[in-house]
Structures are given as structure tokens and as C-alpha cells.
Amino acid sequence: MEGNNNYLIPANSKKSMLILSFFTPLDLMIFSIGCIVTVILLFVANSNNVIVLVGILMPALVSAFLVLPIPNYHNVLTFIGVAYRYFSTRKRYYWKGWCVAYDKESDGK
């Protein structure tokens, strides 16, 4: 078996590059900013109303939703970014139809 280098790459090898095997530094920054804003709002706004309390907790809840790990995608933030890029960019579709004779010289390129 000399000279036979068969290496097995573990399935979770890319997870070791992430923080706690789930998060990138950008994810932790987004979550920490949301939590800091929520704590500041808790100190500033003093209310016993439940609706106001939910509004105060929204920055932490939204940031947690954005970095929440989901299967098949790294996190919700990546999915939202990909979906936004897909719907906001202009797409070009090349179709000449079934009845057009195709000629490379007259293609105009």
C-alpha cells in the first residue's frame, strides 16, 4: 500500500473555521449591535406597556433572526442577501425562438 494516499476529509471541516461552528465575525457583530441597542433602549425607555416592551426588544429579536443558523444555508442573513440580489439585479435571457435560423456570422458579435 505504499504510495497510496487516500485521505478522508470530514464532513464538518468547514465548520471549524466558524465561531462556535455556526457564526462568522459579521454575524456576531450584527447580533451584538442589536443587543447593545436593546439594552440602551431598556435603560432609556421606562414603560410597563407590553407593546412598548416588545418594540424595545425588537432590535435583539431581529438581529437574532438574521444570524439564526438554518439547514442548507449558513444563516438567514446570507439567504436574505442572496434573495435580495436575485430580485434586485437585472437579468438577461437569450432566446432566439424555434423558427429563427442561427448563423454565427450574422449574430452581430
Side-chain angles (χ1 to χ4, degrees):
M1 284 286 200
E2 283 184 43
N4 190 3
N5 294 328
N6 292 328
Y7 296 107
L8 180 63
I9 299 172
N12 62 353
S13 63
K14 290 205 176 205
K15 280 189 163 191
S16 65
M17 296 188 301
L18 301 174
I19 300 170
L20 299 175
S21 297
F22 290 110
F23 305 107
T24 63
L26 178 64
D27 296 337
L28 294 181
M29 284 178 27
I30 290 172
F31 183 65
S32 62
I33 289 171
C35 289
I36 289 170
V37 168
T38 298
V39 168
I40 291 171
L41 288 175
L42 282 172
F43 284 127
V44 171
N46 220 357
S47 177
N48 293 332
N49 192 352
V50 175
I51 305 242
V52 173
L53 185 62
V54 170
I56 291 172
L57 293 175
M58 284 308 283
L61 295 175
V62 168
S63 64
F65 173 74
L66 288 175
V67 299
L68 179 76
I70 58 174
N72 303 326
Y73 293 99
H74 170 66
N75 55 29
V76 178
L77 181 63
T78 304
F79 175 73
I80 291 172
V82 168
Y84 174 76
R85 240 178 290 128
Y86 175 76
F87 288 115
S88 65
T89 58
R90 181 174 261 191
K91 293 158 202 62
R92 294 183 71 185
Y93 299 102
Y94 299 100
W95 182 74
K96 292 187 182 248
W98 60 271
C99 61
V100 176
Y102 181 73
D103 186 16
K104 284 188 178 183
E105 285 93 29
S106 67
D107 195 20
K109 290 184 181 178

